[in-house]
Amino acid sequence: MVPTYEVDSFSEDTKAFCTIDKRAGVYKQRVTSRDVKIEDKIYQADEWMNTPSIILSNIPRRLHLQQDHPVAITRQLIESRFPDYKTHNNLFPVVTVGQNFDSLGFPADHIGRSRTDTYYLNKSTVLRTHTSAHQADTFRANESAGYLISADVYRRDAVDRSHYPIFHQMEGARVWDRDALDAGKSFAQTVWEDVAKIPKHSITVEDPNPSFHSERNPLQDGHSAEEVEAMGAHLKRSLEDVVVAIFNAAKSAAADAGETPDTPADEPLKVRWVEAYFPFTSPSWELEVYWQGDWLEVLGCGIVKQSILDNAGVPNKLGWAFGIGLDRIAMLLYWIPDIRLFWSTDPRFLSQFSSTAPIQRFVPFSKYPACFKDVSFWLRSSTSAAGGLSRNATTTSHDFHENDVMEIARDVCGDLVEDVRLVDEFVHPKTGRRSMCYRTNYRSLERTLTNEETNELHGRFCQQLVEKLGVELR
């Protein structure tokens, strides 16, 4: 007999994803050992499932909504620059492949669709990799001219001090309706009037490229040059206003902490626009800021692909969208050196931040010692269909992916691993077998690790490499 899991109600997205029997007016859902429960929803796992328990357990944390958390404060700072935009901060992180990729025009062979990059629950269901997964649905709802979506997003990635498998993004968009213009005004005139309402700034902006280019950054069919010029100006001025607020706050925090040679408090703020490519906008740009002696990429943006708006049922609308990483901005604002700190529950970290106080530079507690350990292994030389931690994997040199190593390190060691990096590799001249050597840095943010702890962690890490990837330890 198949066991069941009973709840009072199921949301529509849960019904779409799960096998449900309705008996006596109550939904009962089949649950097997391969099913995944996320809060009140259950998803049927299949061979595509590659989401470890450590990721699933952190979904309820929602740092962007946690009171006085630096990620939440950063969100609020950016939201304050868009006072008339509708905010969406509670959208559930499980989405369909259609929402995450297809609705945005991702090609079928895009690397983002790979199980080496994305967390799957089953072939048609993923943990969202970006807030843009909700873009088409939000356009379809048609509740406001401008909106902001802030959310936790999930990607399999490197293990180091600036990357974490869960991070936070803000998606923003603004549209205008061609069918709702004031009499006698063109679409471009209407947008330019809105540009004039954006707060002015005095920062230096480098924008050497034209608003569009026929080859590098093309116009879309149906968009006139005048319309894109106006929307591009509104987009850029809106985001320049955000950057001024963020970096002025960061400079003030640096000044309060004592001016340092590499970040003088009186250094003029400089920003520049560079051409970019995204599957869901055209033309597209990235905004960079000159900070600590180098150009820092802050966000990506562009004119929304008209096909997205057409498919959302609002073909009469045109607009722009942007995406910004909240964790990266929060690290910059507060001078936070390690992204793992955001997930700490240590009061020495959390007590330093307040949404009602000015931005203050983070004061580190003790720097605990690192412990480096290496693991070397051979990949098998025969071919296989692995990749993305497939079940009963036998990893070969053809399908090996570094993100699998990173995922095992995180799953075994959690936040006790600071970084994992490849330090050596070679191919045996006679057998053709490939050898890899990875160095793992074990370091707690809250205490000194003992040799016994790190040896035990490293032993389990090596064991899992063998069991999950089928490698041969050297």
Side-chain angles (χ1 to χ4, degrees):
M1 179 176 180
V2 178
T4 60
Y5 173 82
E6 185 171 326
V7 295
D8 293 333
S9 63
F10 284 86
S11 65
E12 288 305 314
D13 58 349
T14 303
K15 294 177 185 178
F17 287 131
C18 306
T19 300
I20 303 172
D21 294 329
K22 190 175 183 181
R23 301 171 183 171
V26 177
Y27 282 106
K28 291 187 177 182
Q29 184 169 355
R30 300 181 185 278
V31 178
T32 71
S33 61
R34 297 179 66 184
D35 286 351
V36 181
K37 182 180 180 183
I38 302 177
E39 298 183 7
D40 64 338
K41 301 176 176 64
I42 297 178
Y43 303 90
Q44 292 187 334
D46 61 18
E47 69 276 6
W48 282 71
M49 169 64 178
N50 67 344
T51 307
S53 59
I54 191 171
I55 299 297
L56 296 173
S57 65
N58 275 327
I59 289 177
R61 295 284 299 275
R62 291 179 172 80
L63 302 186
H64 66 292
L65 298 178
Q66 185 174 319
Q67 180 70 25
D68 294 334
H69 193 283
V71 171
I73 297 171
T74 301
R75 170 185 61 80
Q76 293 165 343
L77 173 60
I78 300 174
E79 286 177 345
S80 72
R81 311 311 302 172
F82 298 95
D84 299 326
Y85 286 45
K86 183 176 179 60
T87 58
H88 305 270
N89 296 329
N90 288 286
L91 297 174
F92 201 67
V94 180
V95 297
T96 65
V97 168
Q99 289 173 300
N100 201 72
F101 299 119
D102 300 337
S103 70
L104 297 165
F106 277 75
D109 60 351
H110 194 280
I111 186 63
R113 294 177 181 264
S114 169
R115 293 171 63 245
T116 60
D117 284 45
T118 296
Y119 290 113
Y120 280 82
L121 300 181
N122 55 51
K123 186 176 182 178
S124 61
T125 313
V126 300
L127 297 181
R128 63 181 166 223
T129 64
H130 44 206
T131 47
S132 300
H134 304 286
Q135 187 182 96
D137 291 336
T138 307
F139 285 140
R140 186 175 295 107
N142 198 21
E143 296 178 331
S144 58
Y147 71 77
L148 300 173
I149 296 172
S150 296
D152 42 333
V153 298
Y154 302 77
R155 293 183 195 172
R156 303 175 88 240
D157 210 337
V159 175
D160 59 42
R161 291 191 295 172
S162 62
H163 291 87
Y164 203 83
I166 310 174
F167 56 104
H168 303 80
Q169 284 185 340
M170 178 183 287
E171 162 109 355
R174 174 69 161 88
V175 295
W176 291 264
D177 192 334
R178 274 191 174 134
D179 296 341
L181 303 177
D182 292 340
K185 289 184 181 178
S186 69
F187 183 93
Q189 286 176 316
T190 300
V191 177
W192 279 115
E193 289 181 359
D194 288 336
V195 173
K197 301 173 186 176
I198 301 171
K200 293 178 171 57
H201 62 72
S202 59
I203 63 174
T204 301
V205 179
E206 297 180 19
D207 193 5
N209 297 306
S211 297
F212 54 89
H213 187 278
S214 59
E215 296 179 357
R216 300 192 311 265
N217 222 5
L219 285 175
Q220 301 173 49
D221 291 341
H223 290 187
S224 72
E226 293 77 15
E227 291 168 340
V228 170
E229 288 274 4
M231 288 189 292
H234 191 280
L235 167 61
K236 291 177 179 180
R237 287 291 303 277
S238 298
L239 297 179
E240 288 163 11
D241 178 68
V242 169
V243 164
V244 169
I246 290 171
F247 283 84
N248 280 345
K251 288 174 65 177
S252 296
D256 292 343
E259 187 176 314
T260 57
D262 59 340
T263 55
D266 59 353
E267 179 183 40
L269 184 61
K270 294 186 294 183
V271 304
R272 70 182 182 191
W273 291 99
V274 298
E275 294 176 336
Y277 167 78
F278 303 107
F280 32 85
T281 56
S282 185
S284 305
W285 305 276
E286 289 176 344
L287 180 59
E288 299 180 344
V289 176
Y290 193 74
W291 183 252
Q292 298 186 31
D294 202 0
W295 287 100
L296 175 69
E297 178 191 329
V298 175
L299 55 85
C301 60
I303 305 303
V304 177
K305 283 286 184 70
Q306 197 59 40
S307 59
I308 296 175
L309 293 163
D310 293 348
N311 293 335
V314 287
N316 53 311
K317 295 193 175 184
L318 289 74
W320 55 252
F322 75 88
I324 188 170
L326 295 178
D327 305 67
R328 187 174 193 183
I329 298 301
M331 292 178 76
L332 182 151
L333 269 175
Y334 290 99
W335 298 70
I336 292 173
D338 194 312
I339 196 170
R340 291 177 298 164
L341 281 163
F342 289 140
W343 296 88
S344 174
T345 57
D346 192 321
R348 292 174 297 174
F349 175 74
L350 296 174
S351 64
Q352 295 192 37
F353 312 102
S354 172
S355 59
T356 59
I359 301 294
Q360 297 291 327
R361 185 170 179 172
F362 167 64
V363 179
F365 24 96
S366 298
K367 180 75 169 179
Y368 297 101
C371 181
F372 295 94
K373 294 187 180 294
D374 292 353
V375 57
S376 298
F377 52 81
W378 293 104
L379 300 178
R380 297 182 185 272
S381 56
S382 59
T383 58
S384 170
L389 287 182
S390 62
R391 298 178 186 274
N392 303 316
T394 302
T395 301
T396 74
S397 58
H398 299 285
D399 52 47
F400 175 81
H401 198 288
E402 188 171 80
N403 282 350
D404 292 345
V405 176
M406 304 297 170
E407 198 62 49
I408 292 172
R410 284 197 178 98
D411 199 27
V412 172
C413 311
D415 288 346
L416 297 181
V417 57
E418 181 175 285
D419 64 70
V420 179
R421 56 192 176 91
L422 181 67
V423 294
D424 187 37
E425 65 176 317
F426 73 95
V427 176
H428 194 285
K430 293 184 178 180
T431 65
R433 296 184 73 189
R434 186 179 173 192
S435 172
M436 319 286 290
C437 179
Y438 281 87
R439 178 162 296 159
T440 304
N441 176 14
Y442 297 92
R443 189 204 309 264
S444 170
L445 294 167
E446 300 174 353
R447 59 186 176 84
T448 299
L449 297 176
T450 66
N451 287 331
E452 290 77 10
E453 282 180 292
T454 54
N455 286 336
E456 194 272 337
L457 284 172
H458 194 66
R460 287 197 285 124
F461 175 40
C462 295
Q463 180 183 4
Q464 288 296 298
L465 288 173
V466 173
E467 293 182 4
K468 291 189 173 182
L469 299 186
V471 301
E472 180 183 339
L473 298 181
R474 295 183 59 201

